[in-house]
Structures are given as C-alpha cells and as structure tokens.
Amino acid sequence: MFDLIIKNANIIDGTGKDAYVADIAIKDGKIAVVGKVTDTADEIIDATGLTVTPGWIDSHSHSDKTMISAPDQREKVEQGITFSVTSNCGTSQAPIMNGMTMGDFLNKVDLIPQGSSASVFIGHNTLRSAVMGKVNRQPTADEMEKMKALLREGLEAGALGMSFGLYYIPGCYATIDECIELARVVAEHGKLITSHVRNEADGLIEAVEEFLTIARESGCRAVFSHHKAMDRANWGKVKDTLAIIDKAVSEGVDAYQDVYPYIASSTTVMARFVPKMFHPEGTKDAVSLLYSKEKCEEIKAHWIKKWGNDLSWVLVISCGEHKEYVGKNVNEIAEMMGYTDRYEAVFDIIRLSNGGAQACFFMMCEEDLEYVLSHPRTMICTDDVASGNNIYHPRLRASFPRAIAKYVREKNVLTLPEMIRRMTSLPAHVYHLDTKGRIEEGFDADLCIIDPENITDCADFVNCTLHNKGLEYVIINGKKVLEKNNYNGTRAGKVYRL
C-alpha cells in the first residue's frame, strides 16, 4: 500500500533524457517505484496527458528572509519551486553582531515547517558586518580571525558555504585577498562559494576574472549569481565572460552560473545609484552621504553623463512607509515631488527609505539572456524572496513557468528535457542535494505535474501577482502542496543542512 500513485505519467526525469511513460509510487516521502504499479494507494492521480518532472530547484534566492515571518513561501510553491538555495548576494540572517550565530538561526527555523524546502549560505556581507560593521576599511588580523571563526561555526552547523555580494556594502570594501582567505575556510569544509560579482556593467569582465581567481586560489566550487551584462554599452559581453568561465573550467575550476528569465534586474535604489566609487574611506553610513549637496552633485554628474535625465526605466517596488511611490517609475515620482531633475527624486527616495527602497531596472537585452540560458552550466533562479507585498519583480512568481513557456515552447532556446535538467538535476548536483533533482527510486518525492503545452507565466511588471497557468500539482516530500495552480496551505518543506 502506497501513500500516492501517479498513473500514466509522461515522465521527464531531470537528467536531460527524452520523456517516457510510466507510473510513480510514493511512500513515506520517497519515490518507491518508477514503472508499472499495480498496487493500491491512499490517493491516485491520473496524469494522462500531463508531464511529471522532479520538483524545481531555485538555484539562487533570498527566501531565508521570510522563513520565520512568511514560512508558507506561497509565491515559490505556486511556481513549482520545491527547494530554494538561499542567503545569496552576501546576505544571510546570521551571524549578527553580538547575537545569533548561523547554528542558532538554523535551530530556530528547524521548528517552523516551510511551504517549500531550502538550504542556506553564510553571507560574506553579514559576516563582515557582524565583526566590523559597515565601515570602509580592511579587517585587522584579529577581525579576520573572528570572521573565520564565525564562518567555521556556520559551515559546521550545516550552511552550504559562503555567498559574496561584492557589489554591496560592506562586501564592496573587501579586497580579493580577504575573499580568498575566507574562501579557503569554505574549501576546508568541502563547500561552495557564490557571488554577485563586483561589477555587472563596465567592469563585468574584470569582475568575472576576480571571482574565478577566488575560486581557483581557494579550490572551491563556484557559482556566478544571476549572470548578465548591464547597460546597453555592455550588451554582448556575456559571450566573452562565458568564454572566460569555460576556459577556467577546462583548467580545473568547477564553475557554474544561474539566470532569471527577465531583462530587468532588481536591487536597492541605493546600490544602483550610490555604489562604492562614491564612498570615501571610512564611510560607515552611505545614506548620510546624500545629505551633502556636493556629494549629490558629484553622483548626479557621473550618472547624467551615462544615462541622461530620463529614468523611466527605474520602477520603484518598495519605498519604506512611502507607498505612494510604489509601482511608479522615477520620472513619475519626480513629477509627484515637483522635480524636473530626476536625480533629486532618486536621492529623496533613498533618504526617505533610509537606503531600503527597491526597484526594477530595465537594463539588459534579450539576446544576452538567451545566450546565457543556452549554456550547459546555466541554472534557473528567481533571485527573490517570498513577499507579503503586492508589488514585486514578477520573477518571484513566474521565473520557472516563464522559462518553459517562453524559452522552450515559444523561442526554442532549449528542449523541454534540457530545461528541466537546468531546473532539477543540475542544481541538485551543484549544491550537493544528493536525493533531489531526479525521478528515481529512493529519491525524495518532490515533483511537479504540468501541462507542458499550456503552462504559462501570467505575472508581469504591472500585474505581478497573477497566478501561473498549467501547473496542475506540486508535491513536496510526498505531500500535495499545490493543486490547479493554487497553494493548498500544506507546509511539507524543511530547512536542509549540508
């Protein structure tokens, strides 16, 4: 007697092989049988005409931010994500200054069932902040030893490895030597490093080479986060960067990359408009720089040369308590504020939100996205966090259905079996998820049942909350958590330790 049987399934098993028809029997959260099943079960799903795949793995997310406050992870479940790799871009929920270690955090979330499963990295920015704050300087020898000790504690507690956010404060203040020294601690534990590289625009090639050096010198497996080229002047550079990565792989560096299937990124307005180049040595609070008229003029002069005074490509999706600006572009907000100078509106947005305002930035091109998607070491991601808000980047709700609908069915960038491999067995291999990512006896019963001809992403930048279509069932650890595109409230996920 099984818990669940899926009959007449068109199975895409996650390895990249062609589909085949069989039954799947599930018992105690595991795939018990793949083949002809004649036994009975508590429940039977007839999958005639549907396709069954392994559960989809979000290779780069920030879901750890809401494991305590919004553990349903609804938006993730409702796009077929059964597992998320979290705490990316250098930011994690621990360790925190004078407080919780990574072990403490994991012990806390162990007690909270999750709508979708996850694992965590230790964020380099969080680690650095815990030891030395957000100051623009290099660590002392004692501070470096404290960072290494906290890193070891987190790795031994079960973190996947360490994520860098070299674009963000305070990671942007770190030298390559600091990064290598910490990465060597990760390598001692046989774990991974990922990075939002230092520059994704004019300095993209140099930033890719820097992270490859960190991987090479430390011996860590490495993942380039949401790989892309920002700004029109840099479009096409992904051909060069992927060639550089391929060469490093041929020389023994074990490197991969992920991508979300959109041409708009999302980060803080602060990070986009006030990066490291504007921070004097010793800066502790970068927002305070914007209370200097001279500094604002310096920043504005730099960007106006590059972008002009049209900032309609910046769509604000959060602004602290100032919800009147959410869902509007910077040109519209400037008019609301009475400015003709769009940069004055940008500075106000940052000040009003104390640096926390988020926006979507339409800065990439479709050709680059397709090129990165076509690379065999590219995984699919959301780069997002479950939200209680009504305004967010649509990737939170629709990255995975969109990857199939647009880049398999519409544009033929990849075949469906190959796209499913990028969503399942490839990230399972990269992140050492040994019982996930394939439909195989003994593996975890994380499954998606889809209508491949009709699966469609409906969310967009105006109506970001619209549900996907064609996602019939999602099963996590043997339990149905989604039926007919809607989460049913079952929290069958958990936080995994490596």
Side-chain angles (χ1 to χ4, degrees):
M1 182 83 169
F2 296 109
D3 299 326
L4 175 64
I5 296 173
I6 303 169
K7 300 287 289 184
N8 309 312
N10 193 51
I11 295 173
I12 296 179
D13 67 6
T15 65
K17 295 177 183 176
D18 289 342
Y20 63 94
V21 177
D23 304 330
I24 301 170
I26 295 168
K27 182 72 173 177
D28 297 329
K30 296 287 186 178
I31 297 171
V33 179
V34 180
K36 183 67 176 175
V37 179
T38 57
D39 206 343
T40 59
D42 294 334
E43 183 174 4
I44 295 175
I45 295 174
D46 184 358
T48 302
L50 301 175
T51 294
V52 183
T53 79
W56 300 340
I57 298 172
D58 185 354
S59 68
H60 174 109
S61 88
H62 299 275
S63 297
D64 57 311
K65 293 179 180 179
T66 53
M67 284 175 176
I68 295 171
S69 62
D72 280 350
Q73 303 289 327
R74 175 182 292 272
E75 295 93 343
K76 295 297 190 78
V77 175
E78 289 184 340
Q79 64 163 303
I81 293 169
T82 61
F83 193 99
S84 293
V85 177
T86 75
S87 312
N88 282 284
C89 296
T91 302
S92 54
Q93 300 308 293
I96 59 174
M97 193 176 295
N98 302 317
M100 185 168 57
T101 66
M102 180 56 76
D104 294 333
F105 174 72
L106 290 172
N107 289 338
K108 190 172 184 178
V109 295
D110 277 345
L111 303 176
I112 305 172
Q114 302 289 312
S116 183
S117 296
S119 57
V120 302
F121 277 105
I122 300 162
H124 168 242
N125 291 10
T126 303
L127 185 68
R128 202 177 204 269
S129 296
V131 172
M132 53 187 295
K134 296 187 176 181
V135 66
N136 181 3
R137 64 171 173 81
Q138 300 315 302
T140 64
D142 182 58
E143 287 168 338
M144 176 58 78
E145 289 307 311
K146 287 179 180 177
M147 280 196 280
K148 288 159 75 171
L150 283 172
L151 178 57
R152 287 191 183 96
E153 183 279 333
L155 294 169
E156 289 164 8
L160 282 172
M162 181 169 59
S163 72
F164 290 102
L166 299 177
Y167 180 73
Y168 297 108
I169 300 169
C172 61
Y173 302 143
T175 65
I176 190 171
D177 290 338
E178 174 184 329
C179 297
I180 291 169
E181 188 168 350
L182 291 170
R184 283 176 174 153
V185 175
V186 179
E188 289 169 9
H189 291 76
K191 298 191 177 184
L192 300 91
I193 55 174
T194 71
S195 186
H196 181 140
V197 296
R198 203 177 291 272
N199 191 308
E200 295 179 321
D202 297 347
L204 174 63
I205 290 174
E206 294 80 3
V208 166
E209 290 173 335
E210 177 188 44
F211 187 50
L212 284 172
T213 298
I214 296 168
R216 187 180 290 110
E217 293 297 316
S218 67
C220 287
R221 175 176 289 174
V223 179
F224 287 85
S225 297
H226 42 62
H227 194 53
K228 57 184 174 286
M230 306 283 278
D231 283 343
R232 182 179 295 273
N234 300 301
W235 292 352
K237 281 186 178 179
V238 294
K239 293 181 179 178
D240 298 322
T241 56
L242 288 178
I244 292 167
I245 295 169
D246 283 342
K247 183 174 185 294
V249 169
S250 73
E251 294 168 348
V253 177
D254 197 8
Y256 301 81
Q257 60 276 334
D258 52 43
V259 70
Y260 46 80
Y262 294 89
I263 59 169
S265 65
S266 183
T267 189
T268 64
V269 180
M270 177 79 178
R272 179 65 61 221
F273 285 93
V274 195
K276 177 189 174 183
M277 70 179 85
F278 299 113
H279 304 176
E281 185 175 352
T283 298
K284 292 183 179 180
D285 175 16
V287 176
S288 67
L289 300 175
L290 299 184
Y291 290 92
S292 160
K293 183 177 179 182
E294 292 75 17
K295 179 59 71 173
C296 289
E297 288 299 319
E298 175 192 345
I299 293 168
K300 181 172 71 173
H302 176 85
W303 293 127
I304 209 160
K305 244 188 262 184
K306 190 177 185 69
W307 294 327
N309 196 41
D310 177 11
L311 300 181
S312 59
W313 49 272
V314 182
L315 178 71
V316 173
I317 59 175
S318 76
C319 189
E321 298 300 315
H322 295 269
K323 300 190 185 304
E324 66 270 24
Y325 303 134
V326 172
K328 296 179 172 61
N329 68 50
V330 167
N331 285 12
E332 293 169 329
I333 294 170
E335 290 172 10
M336 292 171 67
M337 292 177 168
Y339 296 130
T340 55
D341 184 335
R342 311 312 191 195
Y343 294 90
E344 291 300 326
V346 167
F347 301 147
D348 271 3
I349 289 165
I350 295 170
R351 289 186 289 244
L352 288 169
S353 65
N354 195 31
Q358 296 265 338
C360 296
F361 303 89
F362 293 80
M363 300 178 75
M364 290 102 78
C365 74
E366 185 67 26
E367 292 77 10
D368 280 4
L369 172 55
E370 292 179 25
Y371 192 83
V372 176
L373 271 172
S374 69
H375 192 280
R377 284 180 170 240
T378 295
M379 302 171 286
I380 308 300
C381 74
T382 66
D383 187 20
D384 223 321
V385 54
S387 171
N389 300 322
N390 292 322
I391 303 293
Y392 44 75
H393 194 301
R395 65 193 183 188
L396 170 58
R397 183 165 284 282
S399 280
F400 284 72
R402 180 179 176 83
I404 295 172
K406 183 166 186 177
Y407 296 101
V408 172
R409 200 170 64 233
E410 179 186 332
K411 305 199 83 169
N412 298 309
V413 174
L414 297 172
T415 65
L416 183 56
E418 179 59 16
M419 182 64 82
I420 296 300
R421 185 184 75 85
R422 311 300 187 81
M423 298 176 170
T424 58
S425 69
L426 181 58
H429 163 73
V430 171
Y431 294 106
H432 302 298
L433 308 175
D434 295 336
T435 59
K436 296 188 181 295
R438 301 206 301 272
I439 295 179
E440 186 175 314
E441 293 175 5
F443 273 56
D444 295 342
D446 294 349
L447 301 167
C448 291
I449 305 178
I450 66 172
D451 178 350
E453 297 305 315
N454 292 299
I455 191 166
T456 304
D457 59 304
C458 298
D460 58 31
F461 289 93
V462 176
N463 301 294
C464 59
T465 63
L466 295 178
H467 285 212
N468 303 293
K469 295 179 181 178
L471 192 53
E472 300 296 316
Y473 296 95
V474 174
I475 296 164
I476 297 179
N477 290 320
K479 295 179 181 178
K480 285 192 307 182
V481 299
L482 175 140
E483 302 176 61
K484 298 292 182 181
N485 309 293
N486 288 295
Y487 174 53
N488 66 17
T490 301
R491 287 200 225 150
K494 63 180 182 178
V495 178
Y496 285 72
R497 303 187 191 215
L498 178 64

